[in-house]
Amino acid sequence: MPYAMTAPHPGGADVLTKVEIELPDLGAGEVLIRHTAVGLNFLDAYYRSGAYAWPVEKDLVVGSEAAGVIEKLGPGVTGWAVGDRVAYTVPTGAYASHRSISQDALVKVPNGVSDEDAASSLLKGLTAYYLLHESFKVKRGDRILFHAAAGGVGSIAGQWLSHLGATAIGTAGGAAKCDAARRSGFQYVIDYRSEDFVERVKLTTDGLGVDAVFDSVGADTYPGSLKCLKPFGTLICFGQSSGPIKNFAVSDLASGSFTVTRPVLFHYTRNRAWLEKAAAALFGMILSEKIERFAGETFPLDRVGEAHRKLERRETTGSVVLIP
């Protein structure tokens, strides 16, 4: 029987409940997908907990990326066929065995990329793409600080930064995660549990600072991230795994004529041309082995609450995949 993992109200990981569902009727331009692999992301925890506003009144199906097979086409669908292997990333709705979705959200999964690889890399890989190519256009020789370097986005970003020729400095918590960050291409790794990352960045850059800081941690790393920037540097805030930044003031930027930005992936993916370009770049990097296949620990989808608890305790490395 088709099922979904729903949250009846905001709360902890224990609110996620398995519920049987009926296969939906398809509207114009929609397809029915049978999921084969679902990605796990901090974004999912933000919605589940209520940190991000719920898009429904109740019974929210969380989940922001998945891969699977098209089982049925709705009216007006063109360019897709039953049996196509596809992947997508949208804010919510992926924690289910089946779902209907607009054809405009889909990308084809190429031969040579597994469903697990696609589901564990699409949201994170597209995020890394826009961060390094749009939010701050990284070029050879740039010095970059990337927080949570052993996480899903960090694992891809480190490899992409290495390919772009940047000097990549990462932060991670504990020896195992620091080792994972080094394997992902970060030349310098700072253990934030035992070291002051601001002081280490100053030493690593001979006091010059970095060109850009990519920060998905939030409360725990601000304002230290600003202190790591060189004059005219850029702070890119794209998450808040430790909680939202509450003490930001525009005047903070005056100490170095800094730029700060808060980009959101789904503003980019609304542009179909951008989505196709970025997905092609990501899958090309995977197929050429410039980015390793890093689908890591797996959980049955109906044990997603356990996976959420590990994610929020920062006990995961790389990307977790949920199997319906």
Side-chain angles (χ1 to χ4, degrees):
M1 182 71 182
Y3 72 93
M5 300 302 297
T6 68
H9 52 78
D14 58 335
V15 302
L16 294 166
T17 305
K18 184 176 181 179
V19 176
E20 293 185 353
I21 58 173
E22 298 290 335
L23 294 182
D25 294 328
L26 298 179
E30 290 185 335
V31 303
L32 176 69
I33 298 175
R34 174 177 55 83
H35 287 155
T36 54
V38 178
L40 177 72
N41 295 278
F42 255 108
L43 179 64
D44 308 343
Y46 297 158
Y47 274 112
R48 184 218 72 223
S49 67
Y52 284 4
W54 277 32
V56 297
E57 290 187 8
K58 62 176 184 176
D59 297 332
L60 176 65
V61 179
V62 186
S64 48
E65 68 178 337
V69 178
I70 294 179
E71 291 203 330
K72 187 178 179 181
L73 305 177
V77 171
T78 58
W80 303 97
V82 171
D84 280 349
R85 296 175 57 235
V86 296
Y88 67 85
T89 178
V90 295
T92 60
Y95 288 179
S97 61
H98 300 71
R99 81 171 298 177
S100 62
I101 194 168
S102 169
Q103 64 177 344
D104 293 335
L106 303 178
V107 297
K108 290 186 177 180
V109 178
N111 292 334
V113 176
S114 71
D115 291 356
E116 291 80 5
D117 288 333
S120 65
S121 67
L122 190 62
L123 182 146
K124 303 166 191 70
L126 295 184
T127 298
Y129 182 89
Y130 84 70
L131 289 173
L132 307 184
H133 297 83
E134 310 278 356
S135 300
F136 181 86
K137 294 183 179 181
V138 175
K139 61 184 182 300
R140 182 170 297 277
D142 282 344
R143 293 186 178 94
I144 302 297
L145 175 62
F146 207 103
H147 289 300
V153 176
S155 299
I156 294 177
Q159 296 171 80
W160 221 318
L161 285 166
S162 180
H163 174 69
L164 292 170
T167 297
I169 306 167
T171 68
K177 288 199 172 188
C178 287
D179 287 343
R182 291 186 187 95
R183 292 194 299 271
S184 294
F186 287 92
Q187 294 99 317
Y188 304 95
V189 180
I190 303 166
D191 187 343
Y192 67 78
R193 291 181 180 173
S194 60
E195 302 176 275
D196 183 325
F197 74 83
V198 176
E199 292 304 315
R200 274 291 310 278
V201 167
K202 288 180 180 178
L203 289 172
T204 301
T205 63
D206 296 323
L208 298 175
V210 296
D211 296 276
V213 177
F214 294 92
D215 191 339
S216 63
V217 177
D220 286 354
T221 46
Y222 186 85
S225 291
L226 276 187
K227 295 176 182 178
C228 293
L229 289 172
K230 73 178 189 181
F232 303 102
T234 300
L235 171 61
I236 302 96
C237 299
F238 66 102
Q240 53 184 51
S241 61
S242 68
I245 295 170
K246 295 182 178 180
N247 55 341
F248 171 77
V250 172
S251 58
D252 294 347
L253 308 180
S255 60
S257 295
F258 301 133
T259 297
V260 64
T261 182
R262 179 54 173 98
V264 175
L265 171 63
F266 303 116
H267 294 158
Y268 289 99
T269 57
R270 291 172 188 169
N271 182 322
R272 180 69 195 175
W274 185 93
L275 175 60
E276 291 179 348
K277 176 184 70 173
L282 171 63
F283 290 143
M285 293 284 283
I286 293 172
L287 289 169
S288 65
E289 299 184 348
K290 294 183 177 71
I291 291 177
E292 68 177 12
R293 301 158 195 271
F294 72 107
E297 187 175 6
T298 62
F299 287 81
L301 178 58
D302 59 8
R303 286 174 47 204
V304 66
E306 181 181 342
H308 270 233
R309 283 186 283 272
K310 289 195 70 171
L311 180 71
E312 291 178 297
R313 292 195 300 261
R314 303 189 191 183
E315 294 176 355
T316 61
T317 299
S319 192
V320 174
V321 180
L322 309 167
I323 305 300

